Amino acid sequence: QVQLVQSGRGLVQPGGSLRLSCTASGFTLDSYAIGWFRQAPGKEREGVSCINTNEGSTYYADSVKGRFTISRDNAKNTMYLQMNSLKPEDTAVYYCATVSGWCKVVDVLRWGQGTQVTVSS
């Protein structure tokens, strides 16, 4: 099956950390720029972070800059989002994706299934 399978969902305390992972199945990530998106309740889905094919360029939304780090391990066909200093406003469903262009929803080629991240005391 050609898909992106996510893991790492959970409940995290404010100030805590969480690492999300996304593994490609049925294709390899080497040829794709990749990204993480999120959708909070009542809000539009937005780009959180993206990285290009050769890791030469990255993007971070202003809201997560300095706290989140995107990475990829092409040998494992996996992408990651390390989230530190989490805030309640980070609560959302997070989606991994392959992208063309850059880091907007309209750039997405394929979506992961999404994983709930809840930041709360």
Side-chain angles (χ1 to χ4, degrees):
Q1 182 75 20
V2 176
Q3 59 184 357
L4 292 166
V5 180
Q6 299 180 224
S7 63
R9 70 188 301 164
L11 176 63
V12 187
Q13 296 182 183
S17 298
L18 184 66
R19 191 189 199 193
L20 303 181
S21 64
C22 176
T23 299
S25 177
F27 71 102
T28 59
L29 290 177
D30 302 64
S31 300
Y32 298 92
I34 55 173
W36 290 91
F37 297 75
R38 69 183 182 186
Q39 187 163 20
K43 298 182 179 179
E44 295 185 353
R45 195 170 299 186
E46 63 178 350
V48 175
S49 181
C50 292
I51 187 168
N52 69 7
T53 303
N54 60 12
E55 302 186 0
S57 182
T58 57
Y59 163 84
Y60 294 95
D62 289 341
S63 59
V64 307
K65 192 170 297 182
R67 300 187 296 120
F68 290 10
T69 303
I70 189 171
S71 63
R72 64 191 302 164
D73 186 339
N74 288 336
K76 295 181 179 180
N77 217 26
T78 299
M79 57 189 292
Y80 306 93
L81 183 67
Q82 178 66 46
M83 303 184 292
N84 298 326
S85 302
L86 283 162
K87 305 174 181 179
E89 50 264 45
D90 294 318
T91 295
V93 177
Y94 284 73
Y95 301 87
C96 63
T98 56
V99 299
S100 64
W102 200 219
C103 208
K104 294 184 179 298
V105 170
V106 296
D107 297 319
V108 172
L109 299 173
R110 180 178 294 278
W111 294 103
Q113 83 276 17
T115 183
Q116 177 70 47
V117 174
T118 301
V119 184
S120 176
S121 298

